[in-house]
């Protein structure tokens, strides 16, 4: 797949050139960098000013040759941030709708395979209103696959889900990557999702491709690595318990007491908070005498190495899933592996300014 597109929007100039191999390619960048605009042009929802789009050898757009294939003829599956299922149709009817609007519908055996792959066979008779957020997204993925696409576009498909639903859905994207040969262009600003899912990364900043390449190589780039580290934060919910005279606010998060510099919120108010990966220190044992007021027990569920000198640990804790960043040397010194128990010293907690919270 070859993308070479230019388009002037009211707020920025889109100028992107890259290729997409098999597997999952992540369009990675901050919010507003142009990621969704790129996949909308590929889908045929936006028309570029100039350039070309070639998918599976078929030219979908070429400004010089005046080629423009309409969206409904492109044979592209689109997974939105929210499922966008038809509320008046059952799950099965939503899935079958995809085969009605494609010129090359999948066979019955393929329908059975996809509902088994996504674990939605027991949901077929339900209405969308009776589905959880994660279930709706699995049905939306199934509907995209049943359109028999030559390409799947996924626009931040996990962003509207809480952490437990994200954890539920991630293995299904891994199965799509590993078992199907359909290339997936996956939009995200989450470094965690890039690290877990992507084979290839196209880093986007202000409408331009800054660094394309294999995921490990791109995340080794110092510029992208800094962006990934900034993005590497974990969100959780808490409520205000008390404001103390020493300038600290006491918080409660799923039964855990935490302290942070005074926040402007009334006692009892709910808060959406986040902890950055570089603000966590990892120890094998709890430190009894320490200046760290916030300590948590955790269990390591996964270890990822995005670059030679960086280690990301995913940890299961009482306040939810957290992701910590360590240097390779510190990680080797501790001798940690997935499945080990450990303790976290949290150096800073921030109020989140994102649209959703775990």
């Amino acid at each position: 797949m070859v993308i070479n597109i230019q388009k002037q929007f009211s707020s920025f100039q889109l100028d992107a050139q890259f290729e997409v191999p098999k597997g999952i390619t992540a369009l990675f960048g901050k919010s507003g960098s142009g990621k969704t605009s790129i996949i909308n042009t590929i889908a045929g929802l936006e028309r570029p000013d100039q350039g070309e789009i070639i998918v599976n050898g078929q030219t979908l757009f070429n400004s010089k040759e005046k080629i423009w294939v309409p969206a409904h003829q492109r044979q592209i599956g689109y997974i939105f941030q929210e499922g966008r299922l038809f509320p008046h149709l059952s799950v099965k009817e939503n899935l079958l709708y995809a085969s009605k609007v494609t010129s090359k519908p999948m066979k019955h055996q393929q329908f059975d395979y996809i509902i088994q792959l996504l674990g939605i066979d027991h949901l077929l008779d339900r209405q969308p209103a009776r589905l959880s957020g994660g279930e709706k997204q699995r049905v939306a993925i199934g509907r995209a696959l049943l359109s028999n696409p030559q390409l799947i576009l996924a626009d931040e498909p996990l962003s509207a889900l809480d952490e437990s639903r994200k954890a539920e859905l991630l293995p299904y994207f891994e199965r799509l990557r590993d078992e199907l040969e359909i290339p997936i262009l996956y939009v995200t600003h989450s470094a965690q999702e890039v690290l877990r899912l992507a084979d290839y990364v196209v880093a986007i900043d202000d409408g331009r491709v800054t660094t394309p390449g294999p995921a490990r190589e791109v995340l080794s780039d110092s510029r992208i690595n800094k962006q990934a580290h900034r993005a590497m934060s974990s969100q959780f919910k808490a409520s205000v318990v008390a404001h103390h005279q020493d300038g600290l606010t006491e918080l409660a998060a799923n039964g855990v007491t935490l302290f942070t510099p005074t926040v402007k919120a009334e006692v009892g108010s709910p808060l959406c908070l986040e902890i950055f990966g570089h603000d966590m220190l990892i120890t094998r044992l709890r430190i009894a005498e320490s200046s760290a007021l916030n300590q948590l027990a955790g269990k390591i569920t996964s270890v990822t190495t995005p670059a030679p000198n960086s280690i990301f640990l995913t940890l299961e804790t009482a306040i939810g899933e957290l992701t910590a960043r360590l240097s390779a040397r510190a990680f080797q010194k501790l001798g940690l592996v997935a499945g080990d128990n450990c303790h976290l010293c949290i150096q800073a907690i921030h109020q989140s300014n994102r649209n959703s919270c775990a």
Side-chain angles (χ1 to χ4, degrees), residues 29 35 97 162 178 342:
K35 304 183 300 295
Y97 180 84
D162 61 29
D178 298 339
C342 62

Side-chain angles (χ1 to χ4, degrees), residues 128-314:
R130 296 178 54 213
L131 301 178
S132 68
E135 289 170 340
K136 288 177 182 176
Q137 281 300 76
R138 278 191 278 158
V139 174
I141 294 168
R143 184 174 62 183
L145 290 172
L146 287 166
S147 67
N148 201 12
Q150 56 184 340
L151 170 69
I152 292 282
L153 303 174
D155 185 14
E156 303 208 46
L158 307 185
S159 65
L161 304 177
D162 61 29
E163 291 302 319
S164 63
R165 297 303 181 195
K166 287 180 184 179
E168 168 195 321
L169 206 57
L170 278 168
Y172 293 101
F173 275 101
E174 290 176 317
R175 292 193 69 183
L176 298 185
R177 177 195 64 200
D178 298 339
E179 297 185 28
L180 302 180
E181 295 187 355
I182 305 170
I184 300 172
L185 196 53
Y186 187 102
V187 170
T188 184
H189 62 262
S190 166
Q192 295 102 317
E193 292 172 32
V194 172
L195 291 168
R196 181 160 175 178
L197 297 177
D199 305 291
Y200 194 84
V201 175
V202 177
I204 307 292
D205 190 28
D206 293 330
R208 298 178 183 272
V209 174
T210 58
T211 315
R216 187 176 293 268
E217 291 181 15
V218 172
L219 291 178
S220 297
D221 183 290
S222 59
R223 296 166 300 167
I224 307 305
N225 213 260
K226 289 177 182 177
Q227 184 181 3
H229 291 168
R230 288 196 301 270
M232 184 61 71
S233 66
S234 308
Q235 292 180 295
F236 65 98
K237 287 180 179 178
S239 59
V240 177
V241 174
H243 297 295
H244 297 286
Q245 293 183 350
D246 59 359
L248 294 177
T249 293
E250 182 178 340
L251 307 170
N254 198 28
V256 176
T257 298
L258 300 169
F259 293 92
T260 189
T262 299
V263 296
K264 295 180 180 180
E266 295 181 2
V267 172
S269 298
L271 297 176
C272 183
L273 304 169
E274 64 184 338
I275 303 170
F276 290 97
H278 58 262
D279 285 332
M280 285 181 266
L281 297 176
I282 306 298
T283 63
R284 277 198 167 275
L285 301 174
R286 182 179 179 85
I287 303 174
E289 297 180 4
S290 168
S291 62
L293 295 176
N294 300 316
Q295 295 192 46
L296 285 174
K299 182 175 182 178
I300 301 171
T301 57
S302 70
V303 179
T304 309
T305 309
N309 297 318
S310 293
I311 304 292
F312 289 156
L313 301 182
T314 303

